[in-house]
Amino acid sequence: MEELYGYTYEEIDEGMTDVFSKTVTEADIAAFAGVSGDTNPVHLNEEFAAGTMFKTRIAHGMLSAGFISTVFGTKLPGPGCIYISQNLKFKAPVKIGDTVVARVTAVEKDDAKKFIKFETICTVGDTKVITGEATIMVPSGA
């Protein structure tokens, strides 16, 4: 049962960070399109995508943003936390074969509500592809 529990509010300090990385595949894009219903041809049709500013197919922005959720739900804070809010800025495209690294860093704690604000960043190599900020409700251990 231990693996079903993450950090408690009291165990998290400002500056704590964790990451999740995933190489985006053709199957990931197809599965995300199927689950979300987002069948924009810029994600699914190479001929269409060749005529766009990206010149090739790109992954759904929300697919990469979902990797931020993976960090929260499985690592920091981990199981039991609840998303309250998230803002995102999409800075660069993610292509098939790119490895996205999602990093979250605790930046501010709200003791009254047991909320923690996190900086959220996704990168491909040295390029920031998504930046943002999230507020997460974290279970108390007290």
Side-chain angles (χ1 to χ4, degrees):
M1 285 294 279
E2 197 64 32
E3 67 274 4
L4 297 181
Y5 298 95
Y7 291 96
T8 65
Y9 178 84
E10 293 78 14
E11 293 172 322
I12 298 174
D13 295 318
E14 291 176 9
M16 284 180 73
T17 190
D18 215 325
V19 300
F20 172 79
S21 66
K22 170 113 175 56
T23 300
V24 175
T25 66
E26 170 75 36
D28 295 328
I29 292 172
F32 191 86
V35 168
S36 68
D38 181 351
T39 58
N40 183 337
V42 75
H43 307 304
L44 303 174
N45 182 310
E46 188 62 47
E47 185 177 338
F48 177 88
T52 70
M53 63 188 278
F54 304 113
K55 305 296 182 212
T56 190
R57 293 169 49 212
I58 60 171
H60 301 78
M62 294 307 288
L63 172 62
S64 296
F67 301 152
I68 296 167
S69 180
T70 300
V71 182
F72 288 138
T74 66
K75 296 184 172 205
L76 179 67
C81 72
I82 303 295
Y83 243 119
I84 301 301
S85 67
Q86 171 81 59
N87 67 46
L88 301 167
K89 291 182 182 170
F90 297 93
K91 313 284 266 178
V94 171
K95 298 175 182 169
I96 296 169
D98 284 349
T99 299
V100 177
V101 178
R103 175 180 302 278
V104 307
T105 303
V107 294
E108 184 180 326
K109 295 178 76 170
D110 180 338
D111 293 338
K113 293 182 178 178
K114 304 294 189 242
F115 287 0
I116 301 177
K117 189 178 293 182
F118 288 85
E119 175 186 53
T120 59
I121 299 174
C122 291
T123 56
V124 171
D126 292 333
T127 302
K128 290 181 183 178
V129 295
I130 300 175
T131 61
E133 189 176 84
T135 299
I136 304 294
M137 181 188 308
V138 183
S140 175

